[in-house]
Structures are given as structure tokens and as C-alpha cells.
Amino acid sequence: MAIKVRKPGLSTSIQDLGRPGYFHLGIPEGGAMDRFALRAANMLLGNDEGAACLEAVFMGPELEFEADTWVAVTGATMPILLDGEPREGWTAFPVSKGQVLSFGFLKEGARIYIAFAGGIDTPMHLGSRSTYVIGALGGLDGRPIAAGDTLPIGTPGKVSERKLDRALLRPSQNPVELRVLPGLYWDRITEASQERFFAEDWTVAPEADRMGYRFRGGSPMEFVPREQPFGAGSDPSNIVDGCYSYGSIQVPGGTEPIVLHRDAVSGGGYFTIGAVISADMDLIGQLQPNTKVRFVKVDMETALDARKERKKRLQTIRDALTTA
Amino acid sequence: MPDIQSPLPGTFYHAPSPDSEPFKKQGDQVSPEDTIGLIEVMKTFIEVKAEVSGTFEGFSVADATPVQAGDILAKVG
């Protein structure tokens, strides 16, 4: 079984849950920007939760099926069309040999996940099928999919009509609130700057991608004066190189915060004021350019509670879909 | 009268560079393959194709404006 790519969309790539274990060598975990949506798409089809799917950002691809199978699309809201007929998101639906799957204009969110019964069966690289484009690793030759590509599909399990009750999804917010745990270098900026960071509205910059989400609109940060240590650059936002965690927020020059995401580097010479908590990282993967966000200060206890709550929500959905 | 809609969210530009003439001016002939503007997103500029034929009637949004997918960018008569 295979699927032919007729049109690739903007930057559609094969993603699974990523390749943990190599970050210390500079190879990011990668994988889906919205891990929750990828898991849900796979659950709908009875796939392994971490099976490889297509992640399409802002624009959907156009795909032709070479055999009968089942498909589920989750994540952003984008009209789903099978031979031009509408299909629902967060729902497993059958497709027949020769049918074409395409998409309308993006309505809400940023990334859709297209799962196929059996999952995409490209070779594993360092334990994952995820595409890391900058490192030319994983996926199809380490690049986004292109017109004329053929996607090999694995052997499906038992598939039936399944639908996710949307009441089980995390409710959407406006403005989006991203919870932040201040970090090691928090004290590099003045108290007034610390307060402004959380008080002001920030807007997603159009440069935001799988490496990082850049925000603008807030005031430039004021640094606590110091003599730059040996080995650090001369800009007050420079440090002697440090490690970057998934979700950490670097602010080059103290102007535009960048939240490091799935394909980010593992370290560098800009200070990081803190990190977006893991429970909110999927939300970032669904932010369109020019969306307003607020950063909200939390402590470790709140961050861990939020992580537990997210796990609970996922388990509720898992129970609902596996007993259905 | 067909409208040209934005295929994706980003920043819309009328011209290939800040110093250039816009891709199209009022009264110009438009073919489906013609580029009428650029959308900047994720450090990439994506060409917006007309996908219709006719006479260019003007841009519907200002140069260097943020747009959403589905927004009307220009009108062709």
C-alpha cells in the first residue's frame, strides 16, 4: 500500500513522536509540534500512538490513494475534502483506491496531522521516522515531501468508524496564555522588565517555525548591568554558552523572545529567561503568525500539575477511543 | 468577478522587493500562472498565483500587511 503525493502543500513533513536521546550530541528530539494531535490521529485508526503521520503547516497537501484504507485528520481546523466531498476532522473515515484527499483554507490553528491506518513506513533513523530538515535526517531523504513522492504505508490493525468527542479537547483561548517557569538567567533583566514581560501582549512573528517561535510587540528588555564574563559576547543578552531545553525562551539582544521548539539547537550563547512549561508546548505548535499571546508566570508545582492534567486528558481520550 | 484569496497566513507583499514595481497594476492582463504577490511566512517567501484570467482591478489589502488564509488579496475582473 502506498500514497502518491500530487501536491506537497507548503512544508509537509513526516513526523512521529521524535528521537529522544541524542540532544547532548546536538540532534534535537524533533517530532510533531502538536504531540497531542498526532497521538489522537493514531488512536482514531488503532495505530501505535507514535506511528508516523504527515504534519502539514498552514496548507494541506493533495494525496492520491493506491489502495483502500482509513484516514484521520486532527490538529488545526482546515476543511477536509475527499474527491471534493467534505469529511470531518478528529474522525476516522474510509477512503477507496484512486480517491484524492485535499484541503481548503486554514480556519483555526496552524498544523494538521494526517494519519493513515498502519502508519507511514519509511526507514527509521536514530529510532524515529521524524523529518529533521536542517540536519537532512529522517522522513523521505531528510526533506519535506514533494510532488511525485510515494509514501509507503505499514500494515493496518483493526480499524472501524471512530470519532473523538471534541468536548474532550482542551478548550481554545483568546488571547492564548503560555505558562512560563522563570529560569537560570531570569535575574539578568531588571524587575521592571520582568514585570513587563508578563504584563504586555506579544504577537507571533511570521518567522516562527519548527525550530522556534519568535514573538514581538513587547518592550525591549533592560539588563542588570554587569561586566560580561570571559567567553561571553559583548551584548548584554550574551552568556558563556549554556544548554537550551525544549521550551526555553532566548531573547537575542533583549528584544524578541524565541521559544525553542522541536527542531531547536541544544545550546548557545544567548541567555534564556525561562521556559514554557511542557503542558503548553503543543499550543505553540498551533499558533498562526500575528496571533496574540500572553506569558503567564508559574512555579514548578503548577507546571507539574499541568503536566499531570495533560496526561489525564490524554488518558480519558485513550479510554474513549480504545473502548469505542 | 473572481477574487484572489490568500492560500496561507503570513505577511502579504505587492512587489518582489521593496524597491521594485508591484507585480500587477490596475488594468494589467492576468493569466492563471502569473504571480500577483508574495506571502512571507517561516522565513520563506511564497508566490501567490492568480489562478484566474482577466484584468487586474487592484489589491484588496495594503502592502506588507498581515493576512489570514482565505483573505481576499486582489480582485480580477
Side-chain angles (χ1 to χ4, degrees):
Chain A
M1 162 59 187
I3 291 164
K4 247 196 261 171
V5 178
R6 290 173 34 142
K7 288 181 189 167
L10 171 62
S11 178
T12 304
S13 59
I14 296 168
Q15 299 295 343
D16 55 20
L17 289 173
R19 48 177 67 83
Y22 303 93
F23 208 34
H24 65 296
L25 300 174
I27 297 170
E29 273 195 78
M33 293 284 285
D34 181 349
R35 298 162 67 78
F36 173 85
L38 178 124
R39 284 179 191 271
N42 281 320
M43 284 183 213
L44 282 161
L45 297 173
N47 287 350
D48 181 281
E49 268 177 47
C53 299
L54 289 179
E55 176 184 276
V57 58
F58 304 142
M59 259 175 103
E62 195 176 297
L63 307 169
E64 185 182 334
F65 296 89
E66 294 192 344
D68 296 357
T69 185
W70 287 74
V71 173
V73 182
T74 62
T77 310
M78 196 186 272
I80 305 161
L81 302 166
L82 188 65
D83 280 351
E85 295 290 323
R87 289 290 180 273
E88 270 193 73
W90 303 91
T91 304
F93 59 86
V95 301
S96 306
K97 183 181 175 186
Q99 284 194 303
V100 173
L101 182 70
S102 64
F103 296 88
F105 292 128
L106 176 67
K107 287 197 159 73
E108 202 189 329
R111 290 174 170 81
I112 53 167
Y113 292 84
I114 312 166
F116 311 98
I120 300 173
D121 194 21
T122 44
M124 302 270 256
H125 292 279
L126 301 176
S128 166
R129 296 185 173 89
S130 285
T131 316
Y132 173 44
V133 175
I134 297 155
L137 190 66
L140 278 177
D141 308 323
R143 57 166 173 81
I145 61 167
D149 280 347
T150 300
L151 309 175
I153 303 296
T155 312
K158 196 168 162 279
V159 193
S160 56
E161 304 237 8
R162 282 190 190 131
K163 189 175 165 53
L164 182 64
D165 177 3
R166 285 182 201 222
L168 297 176
L169 298 176
R170 188 170 171 174
S172 56
Q173 312 163 300
N174 185 21
V176 176
E177 291 189 347
L178 300 174
R179 289 169 287 184
V180 170
L181 192 64
L184 275 182
Y185 305 99
W186 181 238
D187 296 329
R188 284 294 299 117
I189 56 173
T190 62
E191 239 170 77
S193 258
Q194 293 175 348
E195 278 168 26
R196 276 201 298 268
F197 176 69
F198 291 117
E200 291 177 334
D201 280 334
W202 295 89
T203 303
V204 178
E207 295 90 342
D209 61 13
R210 288 186 48 86
M211 292 179 72
Y213 256 67
R214 185 186 283 258
F215 296 88
R216 56 179 62 127
S219 311
M221 290 172 183
E222 291 160 6
F223 290 85
V224 174
R226 71 165 180 181
E227 190 184 327
Q228 288 291 92
F230 177 77
S234 57
D235 190 277
S237 67
N238 288 141
I239 54 167
V240 180
D241 282 13
C243 300
Y244 293 159
S245 70
Y246 165 53
S248 57
I249 309 167
Q250 59 165 230
V251 195
T255 54
E256 296 180 342
I258 303 170
V259 179
L260 300 179
H261 221 295
R262 303 303 308 181
D263 283 355
V265 294
S266 54
Y270 288 116
F271 88 122
T272 52
I273 54 173
V276 172
I277 67 172
S278 60
D280 289 352
M281 289 300 286
D282 286 349
L283 288 183
I284 296 182
Q286 292 297 355
L287 294 179
Q288 283 187 26
N290 307 307
T291 307
K292 268 203 171 58
V293 307
R294 278 283 179 94
F295 294 106
V296 177
K297 188 178 179 182
V298 295
D299 56 16
M300 182 61 91
E301 202 186 337
T302 311
L304 293 175
D305 284 348
R307 182 182 285 190
K308 270 187 216 143
E309 195 190 316
R310 188 182 64 142
K311 276 196 177 145
K312 219 168 90 188
R313 188 185 292 279
L314 197 61
Q315 190 55 45
T316 308
I317 287 170
R318 194 176 286 133
D319 293 345
L321 290 178
T322 45
T323 55
Chain B
M1 188 171 69
D3 298 327
I4 301 172
Q5 286 176 282
S6 181
L8 73 178
T11 308
F12 180 63
Y13 294 97
H14 294 185
S17 75
D19 312 321
S20 313
E21 292 288 301
F23 286 102
K24 291 287 174 191
K25 277 184 218 142
Q26 205 173 350
D28 283 356
Q29 283 306 298
V30 175
S31 306
E33 282 303 303
D34 287 358
T35 299
I36 62 107
L38 299 174
I39 301 273
E40 182 193 11
V41 75
M42 296 195 305
K43 299 168 197 151
T44 312
F45 289 90
I46 293 109
E47 292 183 343
V48 180
K49 300 290 181 190
E51 291 181 9
V52 290
S53 316
T55 309
F56 194 76
E57 293 191 343
F59 291 105
S60 307
V61 294
D63 187 37
T65 309
V67 294
Q68 305 277 304
D71 281 0
I72 295 166
L73 301 176
K75 290 186 185 290
V76 174

